[in-house]
Amino acid sequence: MNVLKFGGSSVANAETIESVIEIINQQSQDQRLYVVVSALGGVTDLLLQAGAEASANDENYKNTLLEIEKRHLETVKTLIPVLSQSAIISKVKAKLNSLESLCEGVFLLSELSVKTAAVIASFGEILSSYIIYEAAKIRGLDIILKDSRELIIKTNNTKVTIDYNETNQRIKQFADNNTHKISIFPGFIAKTQEDEPTTLGRGGSDFTAAILAAAINAKELQIWTDVSGMYTANPKLVKQAKPVYHISYQEAMELSHFGAKVIYPPTIHPVLEKNIPIVIKNTFKPLDQGTLITRNVTDRKKPVTGISHIDSIAIISLEGSGMVGIPGFSKRLFEALFLENINVILITQASSEHSICLAVEAVEAEKAKSTLDVAFEFEISKHKLDPVKIENNVAIVALVGDNMYHHQGLSGKMFSTLGKNNVNIRAIAQGASEKNISVVIEEKDIKKALNTLHEQFFEVKTKQLNLFITGVGNVGSKLLEQLQQQDKYLKDKLRLKIRVAGVSNSRKMAFNENGIDLNIWQKALTNGEKADAVSFFTKAKEMNLRNSIFVDNTANPDIAKIYKHYLAESMAVVTCNKIACADEYPNYEELQDLSRKFNAPFLYETNVGAGLPIIDTLNNLVASGDNIHKIQAVLSGSLNFVFNKYTKGVTFHDIVKKAQEEGYTEPDPKIDLSGVDVARKILILARESGQVMELSNIEKEAFLPSESLETKNVEDFFISLTKNEKHFEEILEEANKKDCRLKYVAQYENGKAKVGLQHIPINHPFYNLEGSDNIVLFYTDRYPKQPLIVKGAGAGADVTASGIFADIIRVGKSK
């Protein structure tokens, strides 16, 4: 014989009840069944709401009762043929009238006792079991309805303690006299030894089924719900969660205790003693395998079976020197809570015995505090103990697995994984059996913590990165194009899944936690909200996604000022914007410190040389102990392009215009041609070499006439170039006379740096530098005469975007 339990989601309405009756019918063909049903989905909450409203003299309880009546009558009218409805509706209404009278009494007395609350709550299962019984009987099933209160006896009205001797005797007597193939029972409800109505607590229908299964030595206990078994994590929060097909009783108890909603924790105890298997099945997908729960599991290799959590928790902390070395202190603490019926979910104590930290349900936090303040009133008054502290808005996340004790380093892996994503751990608890590692975190971090841990322990082959990209012009649009193009390669070869969760330009910004479709990102942006750099950061912070990376493709100083806020939230920053790293040295140093402190990569390879590995090469030299003596470089792809293309017969204005149109210059070309951009680049290289230097320390030799340097906008700048064409012709002519080429050169040597236009002779490494290429010469201890050379394309949207892309991949490999 099997025992089947159907939860509230399985009997939510007439349609789902039809599925339940079909499952019962199929299984009853070759065996007898005991079937336990919950109240219609959501009805127990409505019943408790009606009772609470009535006790508070809130007449809205009448509307709540009308909603309850409507739910049940609609179910009857849909399930039951018209000719058979009358008697059933009359009986349902009679029960509802009794409920109304009970609530009216509560309203008049303004009092809701434990006993009355239990009676009110019991109406849900009583009504649902009766309706399902009648519907099944009309469909020809051989079925009997039995009131669980006649069988299941509790020892008192408050705690879930069963008088198993009496209960088992009653169930056995019923079984011996029952000839029907199917017996249906309302779950959740019971009676006390004093014959008073009571309940088994929220989720108690599972317990009802387990008690019945143990009493009759059932072949199997089936828990039918709306998911296909127990999962590696909550599938509503972790989309990649997978069903666990076989787990042990111990693992099921740990997971259910820590929030796995598919099974009620006390359920396992009665069947564990009888070694009765439990199967979790999906009412709406009955052919799915589900989860089998047995005493032992031998066919699993992974150390962690599942990740679970409990939200709405509070931490209660008691600390003080008066605790140290005092025998019986813990006994007093837990006894005080026990007497007030306060359940302790997690306990941790410092080895110094100076403090005890425990977790309780948030709704019981104030009660727990007042209880302990009274229990230790003397010690607190003598300042041997501090007053009890409460920390709200926290949650517990737990790793569970029978095989965890076989594997070293799981705790470290768990803590480091959370730490890298800025999930702060408030408390830690681990049992001696090492089958559970629990941490207390802030409630706002639950989703990120679950996804991060699930990725670490169940999706090691693929890591998900969440990008927040600002700036989608030439460089940004190319980056989005490359991300889309390389999506499959990244997944297959690098095991990276990159998702764009936010995108912004100067006018609009758009977000999607599940990823913006890169086929229509322009449309998403058009329909987005008004853009603002601070709001963009705030939204990214609120989304609180794991492995978050902020990508700045702009030259905006206001955006650069916000990098520190991203880093302080453990979000990586990838940027081609040179302003932050060329800012005042204390600000540059602060970003480096924040990056290290919060383990948030800060990468800016494209600040110098676009996609060339210039900064990376320099960092490797310094990290390996080499000393930098001199750096010589052509670092402006735009200036190199301009002077390579500027020949007799072509105006300087036209060449600069072409460089702007092809994306080799900033939107304002004066930034490039004034030498400011190159000065910033050599400043960054000097700082990466270990030099403390400011932009004002760099000597700048301007080749633009003062009229061009003093223009206020791009249009006036181009006009000034035309007016001063003679000036540029003279510069070109002087170089030609010397058989030299014009290159704008940056140099750092002996703690000093300068930038300026130089005549490069034919035998110099810079002479044949073509197009928009960059070149850097590193003279070091290891390369004193023949420098280490990095050379290649140093400007253009494609190569800059590829450099940013490379930095994103570096973050993915490091986080």
Side-chain angles (χ1 to χ4, degrees), residues 106 159 171 390 421 454 467 520 532 573 603 666 743 804:
V106 172
K159 299 181 177 65
I171 294 171
I390 298 176
N421 279 274
H454 195 273
L467 306 188
I520 54 170
D532 172 76
V573 174
L603 301 180
E666 301 286 351
K743 302 292 178 184
I804 294 169

Side-chain angles (χ1 to χ4, degrees), residues 594-613:
L594 287 170
S595 175
R596 288 187 289 268
K597 180 178 179 180
F598 293 99
N599 198 27
F602 175 39
L603 301 180
Y604 39 90
E605 183 66 74
T606 48
N607 277 196
V608 182
L612 295 176

Side-chain angles (χ1 to χ4, degrees), residues 199-212:
T199 69
L200 300 179
R202 294 306 299 269
S205 293
D206 287 353
F207 200 15
T208 303
I211 293 168
L212 289 170

